[in-house]
Amino acid sequence: MSTPIPRDARPGMQTAQRERLAENLAEVRGKITAAAGRAGRASDDVRLIAVTKYVDVETTAALFELGCRDFGESRPQQLWERAEQFAARPVRWHMIGHLQTNKAKRTAPVLSWLHAGDSWRLLKAVDAAAAADRRIQTLLEINISGDAAKHGIAPDDAARVLEEAAKLPQLEIRGLMGMASLQGGVDVARTNFAALRQLRDRLAADAPDNVALTELSMGMSGDYEAAIEEGATMVRVGSSLFEGIER
């Protein structure tokens, strides 16, 4: 069993490491503010999801002490462990990686946000596993790049899945998530992000009455600025936060 971190414990990082982490976080936040400004938006319109899958619990705790409250994990086992370790702290946990249906029962109780709602089968499993007294904020993951290796709902199937997902009582469908193609760099990524925004806008125009598609989760360390310029409301940033940090 994981050992919880006491609320008053200080992160077990060397001073230089902690200072570098603070500098990295300030740089990322500055770039978010600048990108939002270029798009005519406020920085508060964009939520930073700190992706902690490659760092230890002490580094994650240091990020919390620096003001981060939204943390993303792509592996369910690590999400379970981290949620237990930080149970005494007001952390919002985001599942950003593929979730197998057989892991939904253990994952649903600790989730604030499910970004990887990548199939109707998974959405039903998470809904069934969620506690009756809470709703999980959910994004439909769209395979906007068309990459065969990526998970996600095909754009042509999104309206059908959205209509069915809106009937699930424990899920609140809030928007879309997408990942840019691994090929083509930022220019191709920007095209993918624009396509996801346009799909969201089309779906929002005819969405079920109980659905408000206000969120777009797109952009990672290499392309989050372009994602913000194309309408992202959530960016999933990992490596840019941890440059120069021993992991």
Side-chain angles (χ1 to χ4, degrees):
M1 180 178 293
S2 302
T3 301
I5 302 172
R7 179 181 290 271
D8 58 352
R10 301 305 299 172
M13 296 182 70
Q14 296 180 0
T15 300
Q17 294 274 80
R18 182 178 170 80
E19 289 176 351
R20 179 61 187 271
L21 184 64
E23 291 170 0
N24 291 347
L25 177 59
E27 181 176 357
V28 169
R29 285 175 168 163
K31 289 181 177 179
I32 289 173
T33 296
R38 290 192 294 272
R41 302 164 60 200
S43 59
D44 289 347
D45 292 342
V46 183
R47 187 186 309 218
L48 171 62
I49 314 299
V51 180
T52 51
K53 62 181 178 179
Y54 294 126
V55 297
D56 57 26
V57 66
E58 289 80 13
T59 304
T60 305
L63 270 177
F64 179 89
E65 297 296 336
L66 290 168
C68 289
R69 294 295 180 268
D70 292 276
F71 292 91
E73 291 287 346
S74 61
R75 294 172 289 195
Q77 292 90 337
Q78 187 162 330
L79 175 64
W80 305 337
E81 182 177 1
R82 291 288 169 86
E84 182 180 349
Q85 291 165 333
F86 286 81
R89 300 185 179 197
V91 171
R92 291 179 290 268
W93 292 106
H94 299 245
M95 185 67 203
I96 62 173
H98 175 62
L99 178 63
Q100 295 174 313
T101 55
N102 63 358
K103 293 182 172 63
K105 185 174 183 179
R106 188 167 176 184
T107 304
V110 300
L111 278 183
S112 294
W113 286 82
L114 173 67
H115 290 234
D118 60 15
S119 71
W120 169 236
R121 183 167 175 259
L122 175 64
L123 293 168
K124 288 193 296 182
V126 174
D127 176 74
D133 61 348
R134 64 187 294 267
R135 302 184 75 194
I136 297 173
Q137 308 300 297
T138 302
L139 307 177
L140 302 184
E141 181 177 356
I142 307 297
N143 187 352
I144 200 65
S145 70
D147 291 356
K150 282 189 168 63
H151 295 283
I153 299 162
D156 288 346
D157 293 334
R160 174 183 57 80
V161 175
L162 174 62
E163 182 176 358
E164 293 302 316
K167 301 173 185 176
L168 296 173
Q170 305 310 130
L171 303 186
E172 184 170 350
I173 309 301
R174 297 288 303 278
L176 307 181
M177 184 269 244
M179 298 179 65
S181 173
L182 296 176
Q183 307 297 324
V186 174
D187 289 341
V188 170
R190 187 182 293 276
T191 299
N192 294 157
F193 298 147
L196 189 67
R197 184 193 70 243
Q198 291 160 7
L199 175 62
R200 188 279 308 270
D201 292 346
R202 292 195 299 273
L203 293 173
D206 196 30
D209 291 341
N210 65 328
V211 171
L213 299 178
T214 57
E215 304 293 340
L216 280 175
S217 171
M218 54 190 195
M220 299 186 293
S221 286
D223 52 26
Y224 67 89
E225 293 174 85
I228 293 168
E229 291 169 358
E230 294 299 333
T233 63
M234 295 180 173
V235 291
R236 310 177 302 273
V237 179
S239 59
S240 292
L241 291 171
F242 307 118
E243 290 181 3
I245 305 295
E246 293 182 6
R247 302 183 235 174

